[in-house]
């Protein structure tokens, strides 16, 4: 898999060595805390989620990973313990009853520790709430909502949210601007310019190579197709699965795709009707063979690569993976998408395209004494792992 999540820990910033904890939101001034109210929707089915999204004035803005299809598949495949719960916290204006934000949360336990996080479990490269396209929240309002949300989270010891992106559509993410949000890692992004405007990154040497390889693929009858049929999508999932099995067995490393629930999750996504899902499968293929294929998540302005597979060895000399990247960018641009995300990880092949680094943030906020103890222990372990990795030259 080229879009790998295995490098996230390597790219994360060093943990704080002084075990201070992120600031909690300051106490709201009189009357501010009454501006918003929260309604919790436990285990919402698709129909209820569609109704929630429809309540957001001007439509919704989110990352490609906080979507109805994602949450539907997450609930069916990733809630493997009796303590796992999924819920959506609907934030409303108290005076008007207007919905301004949806905060999806996965509640889980690790032993006695009770954790709340935006659904991830290694599946989401980006995190954030779902907000109204008409939303214009000040930093103070974001802090007030956060204070109310944390106070409403009973039976939670620790909030842990990773990969928080700075923007949702054209708006600054309310979570990104919180005082308790800390720098975590970077994500590589390319801005896709409207037709007629120059994209300077296309002048990089890699695109000369891509043009040469693309001509060779064209001569073999290879074309880019959007894979819509469920059986063809599932074939790509199995192709990806088999390649990863071979690769990780050779390296002697755990294959995260085989972690509980993950294959079922991706198959669920692949099986959704196209209008129920924001997953797009693209392939470089002939009439009978796949040279390379990619699974992506998209929203109205961003495409994020998730899983990729390369076909038979005879295609490798034509670099179908790199060509597929470029052709996927072309597909995104033609479909009105303005941002191409390489996902997490800072691998060298991504750097060849000249992307910009986007800083992601995380929230690790203890709400109880056991939460504080657990976070201290987590940071000690992380510091030790980083030290040992450095000592071992890795």
């Amino acid at each position: 898999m080229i879009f790998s999540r295995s490098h996230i820990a390597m790219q994360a910033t060093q943990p704080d060595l002084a075990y201070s904890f992120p600031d909690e939101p300051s106490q709201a001034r009189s009357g501010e805390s009454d501006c918003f109210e929260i309604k919790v929707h436990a285990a919402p089915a698709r129909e209820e989620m569609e109704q929630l999204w429809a309540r957001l004035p001007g439509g919704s803005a989110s990352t490609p990973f906080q979507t109805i299809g994602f949450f539907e598949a997450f609930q069916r495949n990733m809630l493997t313990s009796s303590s796992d719960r999924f819920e959506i916290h609907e934030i409303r204006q108290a005076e008007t009853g207007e919905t301004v934000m949806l905060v999806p949360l996965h509640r889980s336990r690790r032993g006695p520790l009770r954790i709340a996080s935006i659904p991830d479990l290694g599946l989401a490269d980006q995190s954030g709430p779902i907000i109204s396209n008409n939303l214009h929240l000040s930093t103070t309002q974001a802090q007030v909502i956060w204070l109310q949300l944390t106070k409403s989270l009973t039976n939670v010891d620790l909030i842990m949210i990773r990969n928080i992106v700075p923007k949702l559509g054209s708006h600054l993410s309310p979570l990104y601007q919180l005082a308790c949000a800390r720098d975590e890692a970077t994500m590589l992004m390319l801005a896709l310019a409207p037709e007629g405007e120059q994209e300077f990154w296309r002048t990089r040497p890699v695109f000369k190579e891509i043009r040469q390889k693309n001509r060779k693929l064209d001569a073999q009858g290879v074309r880019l197709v959007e894979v819509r049929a469920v059986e063809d999508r599932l074939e790509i999932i199995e192709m990806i699965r088999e390649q990863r099995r071979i690769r990780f067995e050779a390296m002697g490393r755990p294959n995260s795709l085989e972690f509980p629930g993950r294959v079922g999750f991706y198959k669920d996504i692949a099986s959704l009707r196209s209008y129920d899902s924001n997953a797009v499968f693209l392939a470089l293929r002939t009439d009978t063979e796949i040279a390379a294929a990619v699974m992506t998540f998209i929203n109205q302005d961003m495409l994020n690569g998730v899983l990729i597979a390369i076909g038979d060895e005879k295609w490798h000399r034509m670099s179908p993976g790199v060509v597929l990247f470029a052709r996927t960018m072309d597909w995104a641009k033609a479909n009105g998408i303005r941002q191409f995300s390489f996902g997490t990880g800072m691998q060298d092949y991504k750097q060849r395209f000249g992307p910009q680094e986007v800083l992601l943030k995380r929230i690790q906020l203890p709400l109880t004494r056991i939460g504080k103890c657990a976070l201290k222990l987590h940071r000690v372990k992380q510091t030790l792992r980083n030290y040992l990795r450095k000592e071992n030259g890795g």
Side-chain angles (χ1 to χ4, degrees):
M1 181 178 74
I2 293 182
F3 292 96
S4 172
R5 295 188 55 83
S6 63
H7 298 266
I8 294 175
M10 296 290 289
Q11 303 301 332
T13 54
Q14 293 286 342
D16 302 327
L17 297 180
Y19 300 112
S20 57
F21 294 99
D23 301 328
E24 296 188 38
S26 57
Q27 294 296 317
R29 293 190 294 270
S30 177
E32 281 185 339
S33 59
D34 298 327
C35 293
F36 302 96
E37 58 187 20
I38 300 173
K39 182 177 180 181
V40 180
H41 301 264
R46 168 172 283 273
E47 183 178 2
E48 185 176 0
M49 287 192 282
E50 288 174 345
Q51 292 170 356
L52 287 171
W53 263 248
R55 290 177 196 163
L56 292 163
S60 64
S62 70
T63 85
F65 296 89
Q66 283 75 58
T67 63
I68 293 173
F70 186 98
F71 295 143
E72 189 177 32
F74 188 91
Q75 289 186 82
R76 280 200 290 259
N77 296 278
M78 306 307 295
L79 305 184
T80 57
S81 167
S82 59
S83 61
D84 283 327
R85 288 188 290 158
F86 172 71
E87 55 197 29
I88 293 178
H89 293 243
E90 180 186 8
I91 314 297
R92 299 173 175 171
Q93 290 275 6
E95 185 175 347
T96 64
E98 188 174 67
T99 302
V100 298
M101 189 189 311
L102 304 172
V103 182
L105 288 179
H106 170 213
R107 292 192 185 222
S108 60
R109 292 184 74 104
R110 296 180 191 169
L113 184 66
R114 301 163 299 182
I115 301 171
S117 59
I118 288 180
D120 182 359
L121 295 180
L123 299 170
D125 288 341
Q126 305 177 38
S127 288
I130 302 97
I131 63 174
S132 162
N133 265 324
N134 292 347
L135 179 70
H136 297 285
L137 283 180
S138 67
T139 301
T140 299
Q141 287 174 315
Q143 293 281 80
V144 168
I145 290 174
W146 180 249
L147 177 62
Q148 287 186 250
L149 180 64
T150 56
K151 283 186 174 181
S152 72
L153 291 177
T154 56
N155 301 319
V156 170
D157 300 306
L158 182 63
I159 299 173
M160 297 189 74
I161 303 174
R162 301 189 59 195
N163 298 332
I164 302 170
V165 294
K167 297 191 75 176
L168 303 172
S170 60
H171 302 283
L172 185 65
S173 171
L175 295 187
Y176 197 85
Q177 56 187 311
L178 293 175
C180 60
R182 296 290 189 260
D183 296 353
E184 180 179 30
T186 53
M187 181 174 65
L188 297 175
M189 300 277 294
L190 278 175
L192 306 179
E195 287 297 333
E197 294 187 17
Q198 187 173 4
E199 294 166 326
F200 291 100
W201 45 267
R202 287 190 185 268
T203 63
R204 296 179 68 89
V206 69
F207 284 93
K208 180 179 180 181
E209 175 190 340
I210 288 168
R211 288 190 291 271
Q212 294 170 344
K213 301 294 186 180
N214 197 39
R215 284 194 290 270
K216 293 181 179 179
L217 289 166
D218 284 344
Q220 297 294 319
V222 174
R223 65 194 186 280
L224 181 75
V225 297
E226 182 181 347
V227 182
R228 294 180 177 271
V230 169
E231 60 270 23
D232 293 336
R233 288 174 165 220
L234 291 174
E235 179 188 356
I236 289 173
I237 295 294
E238 287 302 324
M239 180 180 174
I240 292 168
R241 188 180 184 186
E242 177 63 12
Q243 286 193 3
R244 284 178 60 90
R245 182 190 66 78
I246 295 170
R247 176 186 168 203
F248 281 88
E249 282 183 1
M251 293 188 296
R253 289 172 47 192
N255 179 4
S256 61
L257 185 58
E258 299 300 329
F259 289 177
R262 291 198 185 186
V263 171
F265 171 85
Y266 288 120
K267 286 185 174 181
D268 239 3
I269 293 290
S271 299
L272 287 173
R273 295 166 298 184
S274 59
Y275 53 84
D276 284 337
S277 169
N278 66 312
V280 170
F281 289 71
L282 299 172
L284 288 173
R285 67 170 305 154
T286 66
D287 290 337
T288 58
E289 290 186 78
I290 296 176
V294 64
M295 174 185 178
T296 72
F297 283 125
I298 69 169
N299 62 12
Q300 62 271 24
D301 62 1
M302 183 184 294
L303 181 147
N304 193 114
V306 180
L307 298 170
I308 193 166
I310 308 300
D312 189 81
E313 190 172 346
K314 72 178 184 180
W315 300 110
H316 292 190
R317 62 186 176 82
M318 302 179 198
S319 305
V322 176
V323 173
L324 182 58
F325 268 115
R327 298 294 297 275
T328 301
M329 293 170 195
D330 294 339
W331 181 94
K333 184 172 180 175
N335 283 272
I337 294 171
R338 293 291 169 252
Q339 295 181 81
F340 180 94
S341 170
F342 288 91
T344 52
M346 303 291 286
Q347 295 92 330
D348 289 343
Y349 73 88
K350 299 178 182 179
Q351 305 280 0
R352 296 179 68 193
F353 289 87
Q356 293 181 321
E357 291 189 20
V358 175
L359 179 65
L360 305 178
K361 292 191 176 185
R362 72 178 187 272
I363 292 173
Q364 296 175 325
L365 184 65
L367 302 181
T368 65
R369 187 181 299 274
I370 190 174
K372 289 184 177 181
C373 292
L375 187 53
K376 284 183 179 180
L377 180 59
H378 169 76
R379 288 178 171 174
V380 169
K381 289 181 177 179
Q382 191 174 26
T383 301
L384 181 59
R385 282 196 298 267
N386 289 339
Y387 172 77
L388 291 175
R389 189 180 297 122
K390 183 178 179 181
E391 286 295 301
N392 292 330

